[in-house]
Amino acid sequence: MLDGFFSLRCPDCGGKIKEEERYCPHCGVDLDAPITPTERGPGDNENSPARQHFKAAQKGYEITTEAGLRDALINCDLALQYDPNFADAHNLRGLALDEMGRIEEAIAAYRKALQLNPDLGEARINLEDAEAELANQSVPELVNQSIGFIEEGEPQSSGSGKYIMWILAALMVSYALLFGFTQIQKFANAYLLPKTTVVFISDVPDGVTVEQADLEKAAQVLSERSERLGYSNVTFEVSTAGEIVGMIPVTVDAVKFAEQVGDVGILEFVDFGDSPVLAGDIVRTDLDSKYLPQVDGQEWHTVMSNEGILAAEAHRAQIGNEFQIGFALTTEGTQIFLDYTSKNVGKFLGIVLDKVVISVPRINQPITDGQGLISGAFTEKEAQELAVILQTKPLPFPVRLR
Protein backbone atom coordinates (compact mmCIF):
# COMPACT_ATOMS: atom_id res chain seq x y z
CA MET A 1 0.00 0.00 0.00
CA LEU A 2 1.12 3.52 -0.68
CA ASP A 3 1.83 5.67 2.33
CA GLY A 4 0.53 9.01 1.12
CA PHE A 5 3.77 10.63 0.00
CA PHE A 6 2.47 11.04 -3.55
CA SER A 7 -0.78 10.64 -5.49
CA LEU A 8 -1.42 7.76 -7.87
CA ARG A 9 -1.64 9.03 -11.45
CA CYS A 10 -2.62 7.51 -14.75
CA PRO A 11 0.61 6.97 -16.73
CA ASP A 12 -1.22 7.92 -19.92
CA CYS A 13 -3.09 11.13 -19.07
CA GLY A 14 -1.77 12.07 -15.61
CA GLY A 15 -5.20 12.11 -13.97
CA LYS A 16 -5.60 10.99 -10.35
CA ILE A 17 -6.63 7.37 -9.95
CA LYS A 18 -7.41 4.97 -7.10
CA GLU A 19 -5.31 1.93 -6.34
CA GLU A 20 -8.20 -0.50 -6.91
CA GLU A 21 -9.26 0.91 -10.31
CA ARG A 22 -8.70 -1.27 -13.39
CA TYR A 23 -9.26 1.47 -15.99
CA CYS A 24 -8.47 5.17 -15.83
CA PRO A 25 -11.74 7.11 -15.25
CA HIS A 26 -10.34 10.00 -17.31
CA CYS A 27 -8.95 8.39 -20.47
CA GLY A 28 -9.96 4.71 -20.16
CA VAL A 29 -6.45 3.24 -20.43
CA ASP A 30 -5.94 -0.26 -18.96
CA LEU A 31 -4.14 0.37 -15.67
CA ASP A 32 -3.34 -3.32 -15.20
CA ALA A 33 -1.41 -3.56 -18.45
CA PRO A 34 2.00 -5.11 -17.73
CA ILE A 35 5.00 -2.81 -17.49
CA THR A 36 8.20 -4.08 -19.03
CA PRO A 37 11.44 -4.11 -17.03
CA THR A 38 12.77 -1.26 -19.20
CA GLU A 39 9.76 0.87 -18.32
CA ARG A 40 10.44 0.32 -14.63
CA GLY A 41 13.90 1.83 -14.94
CA PRO A 42 15.07 3.85 -11.92
CA GLY A 43 15.36 7.63 -11.84
CA ASP A 44 19.12 7.52 -12.35
CA ASN A 45 18.59 5.92 -15.78
CA GLU A 46 18.42 8.79 -18.30
CA ASN A 47 16.08 6.84 -20.59
CA SER A 48 13.63 5.66 -17.94
CA PRO A 49 10.10 7.07 -17.66
CA ALA A 50 10.91 8.14 -14.10
CA ARG A 51 13.72 10.38 -15.36
CA GLN A 52 11.61 11.70 -18.26
CA HIS A 53 8.76 12.67 -15.93
CA PHE A 54 11.27 14.25 -13.56
CA LYS A 55 12.65 16.41 -16.38
CA ALA A 56 9.12 17.43 -17.34
CA ALA A 57 8.47 18.31 -13.70
CA GLN A 58 11.59 20.50 -13.66
CA LYS A 59 10.34 22.42 -16.68
CA GLY A 60 6.91 22.89 -15.09
CA TYR A 61 8.45 24.12 -11.84
CA GLU A 62 10.62 26.65 -13.67
CA ILE A 63 7.52 28.26 -15.20
CA THR A 64 6.33 29.14 -11.63
CA THR A 65 2.75 29.68 -12.76
CA GLU A 66 -0.15 27.83 -11.15
CA ALA A 67 -0.46 25.60 -14.21
CA GLY A 68 3.29 25.01 -14.29
CA LEU A 69 3.38 23.99 -10.63
CA ARG A 70 0.40 21.69 -11.14
CA ASP A 71 2.18 20.01 -14.06
CA ALA A 72 5.34 19.71 -11.95
CA LEU A 73 3.40 17.99 -9.18
CA ILE A 74 1.70 15.58 -11.60
CA ASN A 75 5.00 14.63 -13.23
CA CYS A 76 6.70 14.15 -9.87
CA ASP A 77 3.88 11.80 -8.86
CA LEU A 78 4.32 9.85 -12.10
CA ALA A 79 8.10 9.70 -11.67
CA LEU A 80 7.61 8.30 -8.16
CA GLN A 81 5.19 5.67 -9.40
CA TYR A 82 7.96 4.31 -11.61
CA ASP A 83 10.65 4.77 -8.95
CA PRO A 84 9.39 5.38 -5.37
CA ASN A 85 13.03 5.69 -4.20
CA PHE A 86 13.79 8.65 -6.49
CA ALA A 87 15.01 11.13 -3.85
CA ASP A 88 15.40 14.06 -6.25
CA ALA A 89 11.77 13.67 -7.35
CA HIS A 90 10.58 13.77 -3.73
CA ASN A 91 12.63 16.94 -3.22
CA LEU A 92 11.25 18.59 -6.36
CA ARG A 93 7.75 17.58 -5.32
CA GLY A 94 8.36 19.36 -2.03
CA LEU A 95 9.46 22.51 -3.85
CA ALA A 96 6.28 22.52 -5.94
CA LEU A 97 4.10 21.99 -2.88
CA ASP A 98 6.00 24.74 -1.06
CA GLU A 99 5.32 27.21 -3.88
CA MET A 100 1.64 26.22 -3.77
CA GLY A 101 1.48 27.06 -0.06
CA ARG A 102 1.10 23.43 1.05
CA ILE A 103 3.98 23.64 3.50
CA GLU A 104 3.21 20.64 5.70
CA GLU A 105 3.03 18.36 2.64
CA ALA A 106 6.28 19.90 1.38
CA ILE A 107 7.98 19.10 4.69
CA ALA A 108 6.87 15.47 4.40
CA ALA A 109 8.30 15.31 0.86
CA TYR A 110 11.65 16.80 1.94
CA ARG A 111 11.89 14.34 4.83
CA LYS A 112 11.15 11.48 2.46
CA ALA A 113 13.94 12.67 0.15
CA LEU A 114 16.37 12.74 3.06
CA GLN A 115 15.34 9.29 4.25
CA LEU A 116 16.21 7.98 0.80
CA ASN A 117 19.39 10.04 0.45
CA PRO A 118 20.73 11.59 3.68
CA ASP A 119 23.48 13.30 1.64
CA LEU A 120 21.00 15.32 -0.48
CA GLY A 121 22.04 18.73 0.84
CA GLU A 122 19.46 20.65 -1.19
CA ALA A 123 16.60 18.72 0.44
CA ARG A 124 18.04 19.39 3.92
CA ILE A 125 18.20 23.15 3.21
CA ASN A 126 14.69 23.10 1.76
CA LEU A 127 13.42 21.24 4.84
CA GLU A 128 14.98 23.76 7.23
CA ASP A 129 13.49 26.67 5.28
CA ALA A 130 10.04 25.05 5.14
CA GLU A 131 10.04 24.25 8.85
CA ALA A 132 11.11 27.82 9.60
CA GLU A 133 8.34 29.16 7.35
CA LEU A 134 5.74 26.97 9.03
CA ALA A 135 6.93 27.96 12.47
CA ASN A 136 7.03 31.66 11.53
CA GLN A 137 3.32 31.54 10.74
CA SER A 138 2.78 31.30 14.48
CA VAL A 139 5.16 34.15 15.36
CA PRO A 140 2.52 36.93 15.51
CA GLU A 141 0.42 34.88 17.92
CA LEU A 142 3.51 34.02 19.98
CA VAL A 143 4.56 37.67 20.19
CA ASN A 144 1.05 38.78 21.14
CA GLN A 145 0.97 36.16 23.88
CA SER A 146 4.36 37.32 25.16
CA ILE A 147 3.36 40.99 25.18
CA GLY A 148 0.06 40.10 26.85
CA PHE A 149 1.95 38.19 29.51
CA ILE A 150 4.18 41.19 30.20
CA GLU A 151 1.25 43.64 30.31
CA GLU A 152 -0.56 41.40 32.79
CA GLY A 153 2.46 41.45 35.13
CA GLU A 154 3.12 43.75 38.05
CA PRO A 155 3.22 47.47 37.15
CA GLN A 156 6.73 47.92 38.46
CA SER A 157 8.06 45.09 36.25
CA SER A 158 6.06 45.80 33.09
CA GLY A 159 8.27 48.67 31.99
CA SER A 160 11.48 46.66 32.20
CA GLY A 161 9.75 43.75 30.47
CA LYS A 162 8.80 45.95 27.53
CA TYR A 163 12.33 47.32 27.33
CA ILE A 164 13.64 43.76 27.16
CA MET A 165 11.18 42.98 24.35
CA TRP A 166 12.33 46.04 22.40
CA ILE A 167 16.00 45.19 22.94
CA LEU A 168 15.40 41.60 21.80
CA ALA A 169 13.55 42.81 18.70
CA ALA A 170 16.38 45.25 17.87
CA LEU A 171 18.96 42.48 18.25
CA MET A 172 16.97 40.18 15.96
CA VAL A 173 16.65 42.84 13.28
CA SER A 174 20.38 43.59 13.50
CA TYR A 175 21.18 39.89 13.19
CA ALA A 176 18.92 39.65 10.15
CA LEU A 177 20.62 42.59 8.46
CA LEU A 178 24.04 41.08 9.07
CA PHE A 179 23.37 37.44 8.21
CA GLY A 180 20.14 37.45 6.19
CA PHE A 181 16.57 36.59 7.05
CA THR A 182 17.00 32.93 6.08
CA GLN A 183 19.57 32.52 8.83
CA ILE A 184 17.39 34.24 11.39
CA GLN A 185 14.51 31.97 10.38
CA LYS A 186 16.72 28.96 11.07
CA PHE A 187 17.82 30.47 14.37
CA ALA A 188 14.22 31.13 15.39
CA ASN A 189 13.12 27.67 14.33
CA ALA A 190 15.92 26.08 16.34
CA TYR A 191 15.77 28.15 19.51
CA LEU A 192 12.75 30.47 19.80
CA LEU A 193 9.66 28.99 18.20
CA PRO A 194 7.34 26.31 19.62
CA LYS A 195 8.68 22.78 19.98
CA THR A 196 7.49 19.63 21.68
CA THR A 197 9.58 18.03 24.41
CA VAL A 198 10.29 14.34 23.95
CA VAL A 199 11.61 12.41 26.95
CA PHE A 200 13.03 8.89 26.67
CA ILE A 201 13.76 6.78 29.75
CA SER A 202 15.61 3.50 30.02
CA ASP A 203 13.44 0.41 29.74
CA VAL A 204 15.56 -2.07 31.71
CA PRO A 205 14.69 -4.63 34.40
CA ASP A 206 14.15 -3.40 37.96
CA GLY A 207 17.37 -3.10 39.89
CA VAL A 208 19.49 -2.43 36.79
CA THR A 209 21.19 0.98 36.71
CA VAL A 210 22.21 2.47 33.39
CA GLU A 211 25.68 4.01 33.47
CA GLN A 212 26.14 7.69 32.62
CA ALA A 213 28.41 6.91 29.66
CA ASP A 214 25.70 4.71 28.15
CA LEU A 215 23.08 7.44 28.66
CA GLU A 216 25.33 9.88 26.76
CA LYS A 217 25.87 7.32 24.00
CA ALA A 218 22.10 6.81 23.66
CA ALA A 219 21.54 10.56 23.35
CA GLN A 220 24.13 10.72 20.58
CA VAL A 221 22.57 7.79 18.68
CA LEU A 222 19.07 9.29 18.91
CA SER A 223 20.38 12.62 17.61
CA GLU A 224 22.10 10.95 14.65
CA ARG A 225 19.04 8.86 13.77
CA SER A 226 16.85 11.99 13.88
CA GLU A 227 19.14 13.75 11.43
CA ARG A 228 19.25 10.79 9.05
CA LEU A 229 15.45 10.62 9.10
CA GLY A 230 15.29 14.25 7.95
CA TYR A 231 14.45 16.04 11.21
CA SER A 232 16.48 19.24 11.34
CA ASN A 233 17.74 20.84 14.56
CA VAL A 234 16.80 17.87 16.75
CA THR A 235 19.35 16.89 19.38
CA PHE A 236 19.11 14.93 22.61
CA GLU A 237 20.82 15.53 25.94
CA VAL A 238 20.90 13.67 29.25
CA SER A 239 19.12 15.40 32.13
CA THR A 240 20.27 15.37 35.75
CA ALA A 241 17.49 12.84 36.40
CA GLY A 242 19.02 10.41 33.92
CA GLU A 243 16.38 11.04 31.22
CA ILE A 244 17.18 11.60 27.55
CA VAL A 245 15.49 14.82 26.52
CA GLY A 246 15.03 16.32 23.06
CA MET A 247 12.94 19.00 21.37
CA ILE A 248 11.10 18.21 18.14
CA PRO A 249 8.97 20.50 15.92
CA VAL A 250 5.36 20.92 17.02
CA THR A 251 4.29 19.44 13.67
CA VAL A 252 5.82 16.04 14.55
CA ASP A 253 3.83 13.38 16.42
CA ALA A 254 5.94 12.34 19.41
CA VAL A 255 4.69 8.73 19.49
CA LYS A 256 5.37 8.14 15.80
CA PHE A 257 8.76 9.84 16.16
CA ALA A 258 9.64 7.49 19.02
CA GLU A 259 8.66 4.48 16.91
CA GLN A 260 11.05 5.68 14.20
CA VAL A 261 14.14 6.22 16.33
CA GLY A 262 13.61 4.16 19.49
CA ASP A 263 14.54 0.59 18.50
CA VAL A 264 17.73 -0.74 20.08
CA GLY A 265 18.91 -1.81 16.62
CA ILE A 266 21.32 -4.69 17.36
CA LEU A 267 21.55 -6.65 14.11
CA GLU A 268 23.14 -10.10 14.26
CA PHE A 269 24.01 -12.63 11.58
CA VAL A 270 23.49 -15.88 13.50
CA ASP A 271 24.75 -19.36 12.68
CA PHE A 272 21.68 -21.62 12.83
CA GLY A 273 23.50 -24.54 11.20
CA ASP A 274 20.98 -27.11 9.93
CA SER A 275 18.10 -25.64 11.97
CA PRO A 276 15.66 -23.42 10.03
CA VAL A 277 14.49 -21.31 12.99
CA LEU A 278 11.17 -19.58 12.30
CA ALA A 279 10.95 -15.86 11.54
CA GLY A 280 9.48 -14.05 14.53
CA ASP A 281 11.07 -16.36 17.11
CA ILE A 282 13.04 -14.78 19.96
CA VAL A 283 16.44 -16.43 20.32
CA ARG A 284 19.40 -16.46 22.68
CA THR A 285 22.82 -15.65 21.18
CA ASP A 286 26.38 -15.44 22.47
CA LEU A 287 26.46 -11.70 21.69
CA ASP A 288 25.63 -10.42 25.12
CA SER A 289 24.32 -7.00 26.14
CA LYS A 290 24.41 -5.89 29.74
CA TYR A 291 20.98 -4.28 29.39
CA LEU A 292 19.15 -6.41 26.80
CA PRO A 293 17.63 -9.48 28.51
CA GLN A 294 18.12 -12.91 26.95
CA VAL A 295 15.58 -15.73 26.78
CA ASP A 296 16.26 -19.19 28.12
CA GLY A 297 17.08 -22.01 25.74
CA GLN A 298 19.73 -22.92 23.21
CA GLU A 299 22.44 -20.33 22.65
CA TRP A 300 23.34 -19.64 19.01
CA HIS A 301 26.62 -18.19 17.73
CA THR A 302 26.67 -14.66 16.28
CA VAL A 303 28.95 -14.52 13.24
CA MET A 304 28.83 -10.73 12.89
CA SER A 305 26.81 -7.73 14.11
CA ASN A 306 26.35 -4.03 13.29
CA GLU A 307 30.01 -3.07 13.24
CA GLY A 308 30.44 -5.03 10.01
CA ILE A 309 27.85 -2.96 8.11
CA LEU A 310 29.11 -0.04 6.02
CA ALA A 311 25.85 1.13 4.40
CA ALA A 312 22.20 0.14 4.09
CA GLU A 313 19.42 1.20 1.73
CA ALA A 314 15.78 0.22 1.32
CA HIS A 315 14.32 -0.68 -2.07
CA ARG A 316 11.37 -2.53 -3.56
CA ALA A 317 11.71 -6.27 -4.08
CA GLN A 318 11.86 -7.45 -7.68
CA ILE A 319 8.72 -9.55 -7.15
CA GLY A 320 5.67 -8.30 -5.25
CA ASN A 321 5.10 -5.08 -3.34
CA GLU A 322 7.34 -5.80 -0.37
CA PHE A 323 10.51 -3.89 0.43
CA GLN A 324 13.97 -5.12 1.30
CA ILE A 325 17.10 -3.61 2.81
CA GLY A 326 20.25 -3.95 0.77
CA PHE A 327 23.47 -3.69 2.74
CA ALA A 328 27.18 -3.38 2.04
CA LEU A 329 29.85 -4.59 4.46
CA THR A 330 33.10 -3.07 5.64
CA THR A 331 36.38 -4.60 4.48
CA GLU A 332 36.60 -6.60 7.71
CA GLY A 333 32.93 -7.59 7.48
CA THR A 334 33.39 -8.75 3.88
CA GLN A 335 36.24 -11.03 4.95
CA ILE A 336 34.23 -12.46 7.87
CA PHE A 337 31.31 -13.20 5.53
CA LEU A 338 33.59 -14.75 2.91
CA ASP A 339 35.29 -17.03 5.43
CA TYR A 340 32.04 -18.11 7.10
CA THR A 341 29.91 -18.66 3.97
CA SER A 342 32.72 -20.54 2.20
CA LYS A 343 32.73 -23.10 5.02
CA ASN A 344 28.96 -23.29 5.54
CA VAL A 345 27.33 -23.71 2.12
CA GLY A 346 23.90 -25.31 2.60
CA LYS A 347 23.57 -24.08 6.21
CA PHE A 348 21.14 -21.50 7.59
CA LEU A 349 22.35 -17.98 8.42
CA GLY A 350 19.76 -16.12 10.49
CA ILE A 351 19.27 -12.36 10.39
CA VAL A 352 18.24 -11.30 13.89
CA LEU A 353 17.24 -7.83 15.09
CA ASP A 354 17.14 -7.22 18.86
CA LYS A 355 17.04 -11.01 19.39
CA VAL A 356 14.00 -11.43 17.09
CA VAL A 357 14.53 -13.53 13.95
CA ILE A 358 13.73 -11.55 10.78
CA SER A 359 14.64 -14.16 8.18
CA VAL A 360 16.64 -17.37 7.85
CA PRO A 361 18.14 -17.66 4.35
CA ARG A 362 20.11 -20.73 3.32
CA ILE A 363 23.69 -20.15 2.15
CA ASN A 364 23.71 -21.31 -1.47
CA GLN A 365 27.26 -20.23 -2.29
CA PRO A 366 30.11 -18.23 -0.76
CA ILE A 367 29.34 -14.51 -0.46
CA THR A 368 32.41 -12.81 -1.86
CA ASP A 369 31.30 -9.26 -2.72
CA GLY A 370 30.36 -8.06 0.77
CA GLN A 371 26.74 -7.33 -0.16
CA GLY A 372 23.41 -8.85 0.80
CA LEU A 373 19.67 -8.38 1.26
CA ILE A 374 17.44 -8.42 4.33
CA SER A 375 13.91 -9.58 3.54
CA GLY A 376 11.02 -9.73 5.96
CA ALA A 377 7.72 -8.54 4.44
CA PHE A 378 8.61 -4.92 5.18
CA THR A 379 6.49 -1.97 4.12
CA GLU A 380 8.40 0.89 2.50
CA LYS A 381 8.27 2.91 5.72
CA GLU A 382 9.52 0.01 7.85
CA ALA A 383 12.36 -0.72 5.43
CA GLN A 384 13.45 2.93 5.31
CA GLU A 385 13.48 3.24 9.09
CA LEU A 386 15.38 -0.04 9.54
CA ALA A 387 17.96 1.10 6.98
CA VAL A 388 18.52 4.28 9.00
CA ILE A 389 18.90 2.29 12.22
CA LEU A 390 21.45 -0.03 10.59
CA GLN A 391 23.54 2.96 9.48
CA THR A 392 23.87 4.20 13.07
CA LYS A 393 25.23 2.51 16.16
CA PRO A 394 22.69 0.52 18.18
CA LEU A 395 21.29 2.02 21.35
CA PRO A 396 23.15 0.60 24.37
CA PHE A 397 19.85 -0.17 26.13
CA PRO A 398 16.08 -0.24 25.35
CA VAL A 399 14.22 3.04 25.72
CA ARG A 400 10.59 4.14 25.90
CA LEU A 401 8.71 7.40 26.10
CA ARG A 402 8.19 8.70 29.60
Side-chain angles (χ1 to χ4, degrees), residues 15-200:
K16 283 189 177 182
I17 57 175
K18 296 179 181 178
E19 193 169 2
E20 66 273 11
E21 287 178 327
R22 167 67 190 273
Y23 297 99
C24 174
H26 309 288
C27 67
V29 71
D30 185 355
L31 300 173
D32 285 346
I35 299 175
T36 66
T38 303
E39 290 177 322
R40 291 187 183 273
D44 55 8
N45 181 343
E46 284 296 323
N47 297 319
S48 69
R51 174 60 66 172
Q52 297 306 313
H53 282 297
F54 176 71
K55 289 180 177 178
Q58 287 179 311
K59 291 180 180 178
Y61 177 73
E62 290 168 0
I63 296 174
T64 68
T65 63
E66 183 178 344
L69 293 172
R70 185 173 61 251
D71 286 345
L73 191 59
I74 289 173
N75 278 291
C76 281
D77 288 343
L78 288 167
L80 292 169
Q81 280 178 220
Y82 284 106
D83 182 7
N85 295 333
F86 195 172
D88 286 321
H90 282 287
N91 179 54
L92 181 56
R93 187 174 187 275
L95 287 170
L97 289 165
D98 213 339
E99 288 291 334
M100 298 167 76
R102 295 158 62 177
I103 302 175
E104 292 187 9
E105 293 177 74
I107 288 173
Y110 296 142
R111 286 179 180 156
K112 184 66 175 179
L114 286 169
Q115 287 179 19
L116 294 166
N117 182 5
D119 297 325
L120 189 58
E122 182 185 350
R124 190 168 301 281
I125 292 171
N126 292 337
L127 174 61
E128 291 175 354
D129 289 344
E131 286 181 337
E133 184 179 356
L134 182 64
N136 284 346
Q137 292 179 354
S138 62
V139 169
E141 181 181 352
L142 193 64
V143 171
N144 287 336
Q145 290 175 352
S146 300
I147 294 175
F149 175 77
I150 291 172
E151 289 178 344
E152 289 172 5
E154 294 297 325
Q156 61 268 27
S157 64
S158 61
S160 61
K162 289 180 180 178
Y163 279 125
I164 292 172
M165 289 291 293
W166 280 110
I167 291 170
L168 180 60
L171 288 173
M172 296 287 281
V173 171
S174 300
Y175 185 92
L177 292 173
L178 285 172
F179 301 105
F181 282 95
T182 299
Q183 291 299 319
I184 202 170
Q185 281 182 336
K186 291 179 181 178
F187 174 82
N189 188 45
Y191 302 108
L192 300 179
L193 298 175
K195 296 238 181 169
T196 299
T197 301
V198 175
V199 180
F200 287 102

Side-chain angles (χ1 to χ4, degrees), residues 332-348:
E332 183 179 355
T334 299
Q335 188 61 50
I336 291 173
F337 243 46
L338 174 60
D339 293 343
Y340 174 78
T341 56
S342 297
K343 298 173 183 177
N344 290 276
V345 173
K347 305 294 185 180
F348 291 98

Side-chain angles (χ1 to χ4, degrees), residues 302-380:
T302 297
V303 178
M304 188 177 66
S305 60
N306 299 61
E307 72 273 2
I309 295 179
L310 177 65
E313 182 179 3
H315 57 81
R316 190 186 295 274
Q318 292 183 348
I319 300 175
N321 293 320
E322 297 176 355
F323 280 76
Q324 303 171 320
I325 298 96
F327 62 87
L329 301 176
T330 63
T331 301
E332 183 179 355
T334 299
Q335 188 61 50
I336 291 173
F337 243 46
L338 174 60
D339 293 343
Y340 174 78
T341 56
S342 297
K343 298 173 183 177
N344 290 276
V345 173
K347 305 294 185 180
F348 291 98
L349 179 65
I351 299 174
V352 177
L353 181 67
D354 296 340
K355 307 303 179 184
V356 178
V357 178
I358 296 178
S359 60
V360 190
R362 187 191 293 270
I363 302 170
N364 295 319
Q365 59 187 18
I367 300 174
T368 61
D369 59 358
Q371 298 184 32
L373 286 173
I374 300 175
S375 302
F378 300 110
T379 65
E380 182 180 9

